[in-house]
Amino acid sequence: MVKEALHERANLLEIAPHLSSPLPIMLPVYKWWQLPYYWVGIKLYDLVAGSNCLKSSYVLSKSRALEHFPMLQKDKLVGAIVYYDGQHNDARMNLAIALTAARYGAATANYMEVVRLLKKTDPETGKERVSGARCKDVLTGQEFDVRAKCVINATGPFTDSVRKMDDKSAADICQPSAGVHIVMPGYYSPENMGLLDPATSDGRVIFFLPWQKMTIAGTTDTPTDITNHPIPSEEDINFILNEVRNYLSCDVEVRRGDVLAAWSGIRPLVTDPKSADTQSISRNHVVDVSDSGLITIAGGKWTTYRSMAEDTVDAAVKVHSLKAGPSRTVGLFLQGGKDWSPTLYIRLVQDYGLESEVAQHLAATYGDKAFEVAKMASVTGKRWPIVGVRLVSEFPYIEAEVKYGVKEYACTAVDMISRRTRLAFLNVQAAEEALPRIVELMGRELNWSDRKKEEELETARKFLYYEMGYKSRSEQLTDRSEISLLPSDVDRYTKRFHKFDADQKGFITIVDVQRVLESINVQMDENTLHEILNEVDLNKNGQVELNEFLQLMSAIQKGRVSGSRLAILMKTAEENLDRRVVIPVDRSCGGL
């Protein structure tokens, strides 16, 4: 199983070089006996990989480990072992596979749901055989039949619901497990080194990896019900944060407020229906053929998707006597991979006037198709960059990607913020900020009415709020939050507040903030100020009261909230005001 996975990993790096790359991962060692133990295991891994080994693993001394991963907990650290694994852009990889299949003649359909399976009686055997499916377009509600010689059930966590359409008495083989991941700022990990702990406090594996210039940490493994909308729990988020704290230096404060996004995915773990022990989880994929000819592929993992597909199609060809030659997918380039090169982004900068960061992102996302996106990019009106208007300032996603995404089957705003760009997974607040512009651009391409635009906005905001961790993030500061500050802190923050609340009203408004900013020669537009105050206006009455400000400062001290624009603005303004205290000149007779 490991050998197959390593072969498939090597193939994935070859056929989608723009989407996948090797990543060194460090196993920190805190006990001397673990060093040879882990080293032997990792070297066996290299040995099994053979010619598919990305790079040879190696041992690091304590000082070298800290050099590579400076934020690592150094107390009792003995050393570390580094091995190489593959990392890829999963959403884009999924899309590249679908687009490549379409290029070779497959008919692909988005937002399609199977209502029931169609059957007909085999004249030779007198048995019912699956002969197609009744499908429903989820976006329009239209239903229609699709006839087929063979139907394959490749539905992940929904495997059993389709199997029961075929046979109501079919036993469940899928045991869904929820895995929660969180995204934190990039400074939590080095740009080119991940970290793995194979034995956490409760036996689960935890990883900590650089991803899209951020840091992704996970994962949990909890039995769950199957749902279209899995939600990350606060308990799972805090479990990951606590495990991360165990491995980072005490100089690095791991804060709940630094969780920029969180989500839960469902792993379709399976048992083999033909196995004697039907309760044991199969670590490999399972291909099952029902009495009526329905072929089910379940289990497996991302790395082995190609071999899973090959085994499934081989079974379909055999069971249904289909005409087909041998598989040709080993070495078959996926969309965007054939003419990609590591320096392709330079041509985008030179030929189109894109920012280097944007060009690198486009090349790493679309491969050799990045030029098509660049051609659609809007002129910025600036000296530089010439083209490529960003959706949000801190991420390299540009408006042209929205237009191009519609050509790649994007149908909803949720598609765009999560599966065409990765904004929802990188920063939920940034995704929410970009939403109105994304909906406006999609509306033009898809001729949406004003009502449809509002529906898309509302659906996308709900998606961010519940499924991407915005709800649990916003609950870190509410009108019910406790104030647990020392008396000296309360006095300090109250004085800061009163520098803005000069009239001693007990609250501050936009006018108060503008007055202080003008006194220190800082200009800020009214809409931005409104957004800043609204983040802390917990009872939504258009003003920030002293109690709300103290709740904010208490949450910041506890690490529940970070990056509060109002807190930083007021602290900076206070420091500027203090520096402007008039220096007495009485003893110098008014001169210098």
Side-chain angles (χ1 to χ4, degrees):
M1 183 184 70
V2 173
K3 196 170 183 65
E4 177 194 45
L6 293 172
H7 172 265
E8 292 300 323
R9 182 186 68 182
N11 183 64
L12 203 55
L13 290 164
E14 179 187 344
I15 66 176
H18 58 304
L19 298 175
S20 51
S21 60
L23 176 71
I25 299 176
M26 180 185 291
L27 276 73
V29 178
Y30 289 90
K31 295 177 182 177
W32 281 108
W33 67 265
Q34 289 179 332
L35 205 57
Y37 176 77
Y38 286 141
W39 183 82
V40 169
I42 292 296
K43 280 300 173 186
L44 284 173
Y45 184 76
D46 288 350
L47 188 64
V48 171
S51 61
N52 293 320
C53 182
L54 300 178
K55 289 184 181 181
S56 183
S57 57
Y58 55 90
V59 176
L60 290 174
S61 64
K62 176 179 178 177
S63 60
R64 291 284 290 164
L66 291 171
E67 192 177 310
H68 285 279
F69 210 116
M71 54 285 291
L72 197 62
Q73 171 65 265
K74 58 186 176 184
D75 294 342
K76 298 182 181 179
L77 181 68
V78 172
I81 297 172
V82 176
Y83 75 100
Y84 285 80
D85 210 337
Q87 186 179 52
H88 73 165
N89 183 336
D90 56 343
R92 190 68 206 174
M93 187 73 76
N94 191 35
L95 192 60
I97 293 167
L99 292 170
T100 305
R103 191 174 75 231
Y104 280 90
T108 59
N110 210 9
Y111 285 95
M112 202 60 60
E113 184 179 283
V114 173
V115 178
R116 66 177 183 274
L117 297 178
L118 304 177
K119 292 187 177 183
K120 66 179 182 181
T121 303
D122 187 326
E124 294 182 6
T125 63
K127 294 181 178 179
E128 279 197 327
R129 305 286 288 176
V130 174
S131 60
R134 179 73 173 178
C135 298
K136 178 182 178 182
D137 183 334
V138 175
L139 298 179
T140 65
Q142 180 186 0
E143 292 189 10
F144 53 90
D145 291 341
V146 176
R147 300 285 176 179
K149 294 179 181 178
C150 170
V151 175
I152 294 174
N153 171 20
T155 53
F158 303 95
T159 294
D160 287 326
S161 61
V162 176
R163 291 178 74 244
K164 290 181 187 298
M165 289 181 189
D166 175 38
D167 179 4
K168 292 181 180 178
S169 64
D172 289 346
I173 62 170
C174 185
Q175 297 188 22
S177 172
V180 171
H181 299 74
I182 64 174
V183 165
M184 305 174 78
Y187 55 71
Y188 273 94
S189 67
E191 287 185 15
N192 58 352
M193 180 72 75
L195 184 141
L196 179 80
D197 176 13
T200 61
S201 57
D202 67 352
R204 289 183 279 191
V205 172
I206 195 103
F207 59 79
F208 197 62
L209 310 172
W211 180 66
Q212 302 280 313
K213 297 192 176 178
M214 294 293 186
T215 300
I216 184 172
T219 179
T220 60
D221 188 3
T222 313
T224 184
D225 294 327
I226 295 172
T227 171
N228 281 309
H229 307 288
I231 297 172
S233 71
E234 187 65 21
E235 180 184 356
D236 284 334
I237 292 171
N238 284 321
F239 164 77
I240 296 171
L241 287 173
N242 287 333
E243 293 300 329
V244 167
R245 285 188 187 99
N246 292 336
Y247 280 88
L248 294 190
S249 166
C250 56
D251 296 335
V252 181
E253 184 186 355
V254 179
R255 305 179 296 183
R256 173 62 181 83
D258 283 339
V259 177
L260 305 175
W263 67 92
S264 177
I266 299 178
R267 298 187 193 92
L269 305 178
V270 294
T271 56
D272 189 341
K274 293 181 174 59
S275 171
D277 182 5
T278 57
Q279 295 303 308
S280 63
I281 297 291
S282 172
R283 298 188 65 194
N284 211 335
H285 58 269
V286 172
V287 178
D288 180 60
V289 182
S290 74
D291 292 340
S292 59
L294 175 69
I295 295 179
T296 294
I297 171 68
K301 54 185 178 180
W302 242 122
T303 310
T304 59
Y305 86 89
R306 193 213 60 81
S307 65
M308 291 168 64
E310 182 177 340
D311 290 348
T312 306
V313 175
D314 284 349
V317 170
K318 181 180 178 180
V319 171
H320 293 275
S321 302
L322 304 176
K323 293 181 180 179
S327 172
R328 294 179 295 151
T329 51
V330 173
L332 179 70
F333 278 105
L334 295 183
Q335 174 98 341
K338 187 176 181 181
D339 295 320
W340 175 86
S341 74
T343 57
L344 182 144
Y345 79 95
I346 297 175
R347 288 175 55 199
L348 292 171
V349 175
Q350 294 176 336
D351 294 353
Y352 295 94
L354 287 161
E355 290 176 83
S356 181
E357 184 187 11
V358 170
Q360 287 175 336
H361 152 68
L362 294 181
T365 302
Y366 303 95
D368 58 29
K369 300 296 180 184
F371 295 100
E372 295 182 17
V373 183
K375 288 174 185 175
M376 301 172 72
S378 303
V379 175
T380 64
K382 301 176 183 177
R383 184 183 62 80
W384 189 264
I386 299 170
V387 301
V389 178
R390 295 195 183 207
L391 290 168
V392 282
S393 60
E394 65 263 47
F395 292 100
Y397 302 108
I398 59 174
E399 292 184 355
E401 292 181 79
V402 178
K403 292 182 253 184
Y404 190 76
V406 171
K407 296 181 184 298
E408 290 187 330
Y409 308 118
C411 299
T412 67
V414 172
D415 281 344
M416 203 60 70
I417 60 174
S418 61
R419 293 178 277 272
R420 298 304 185 277
T421 70
R422 309 313 304 274
L423 270 175
F425 289 88
L426 293 170
N427 189 315
V428 286
Q429 286 183 302
E432 187 183 42
E433 286 176 22
L435 261 178
R437 183 58 179 160
I438 287 172
V439 169
E440 186 63 35
L441 290 167
M442 291 189 76
R444 289 181 197 169
E445 298 295 315
L446 297 168
N447 297 315
W448 285 346
S449 64
D450 289 342
R451 181 179 177 182
K452 174 64 175 174
K453 290 177 187 176
E454 284 300 318
E455 288 175 357
E456 286 295 322
L457 271 173
E458 183 63 23
T459 301
R461 283 172 177 151
K462 282 183 178 178
F463 168 77
L464 292 173
Y465 189 71
Y466 291 106
E467 296 181 51
M468 299 309 301
Y470 211 152
K471 180 176 184 289
S472 56
R473 180 181 173 87
S474 62
E475 286 174 350
Q476 302 307 309
L477 179 64
T478 70
D479 55 4
R480 298 182 300 278
S481 297
E482 293 182 4
I483 300 173
S484 53
L485 296 168
L486 294 172
S488 58
D489 288 332
V490 172
D491 183 56
R492 178 160 55 97
Y493 295 138
T494 300
K495 286 179 180 177
R496 183 179 299 172
F497 185 85
H498 284 149
K499 291 195 175 182
F500 286 76
D501 179 23
D503 303 328
Q504 304 290 303
K505 305 181 298 296
F507 61 85
I508 58 175
T509 64
I510 290 176
V511 174
D512 295 315
V513 178
Q514 282 177 327
R515 174 181 52 77
V516 174
L517 293 180
E518 286 172 5
S519 72
I520 58 173
N521 298 317
V522 174
Q523 299 294 321
M524 194 171 291
D525 69 86
E526 192 169 323
N527 287 335
T528 302
L529 282 175
H530 178 75
E531 289 176 8
I532 290 173
L533 261 68
N534 192 52
E535 291 172 1
V536 189
D537 179 14
L538 305 177
N539 56 15
K540 304 304 176 189
N541 62 355
Q543 58 200 29
V544 174
E545 289 140 18
L546 174 59
N547 197 61
E548 290 173 324
F549 180 66
L550 293 177
Q551 286 175 312
L552 168 66
M553 300 314 295
S554 179
I556 289 173
Q557 276 200 8
K558 291 178 180 177
R560 292 177 181 167
V561 172
S562 65
S564 168
R565 292 186 286 179
L566 182 65
I568 295 171
L569 178 69
M570 291 179 73
K571 181 182 179 182
T572 304
E574 181 185 45
E575 290 170 350
N576 276 276
L577 289 169
D578 290 343
R579 281 199 294 267
R580 294 186 58 184
V581 173
V582 178
I583 301 172
V585 293
D586 301 343
R587 295 182 65 183
S588 64
C589 300
L592 292 175

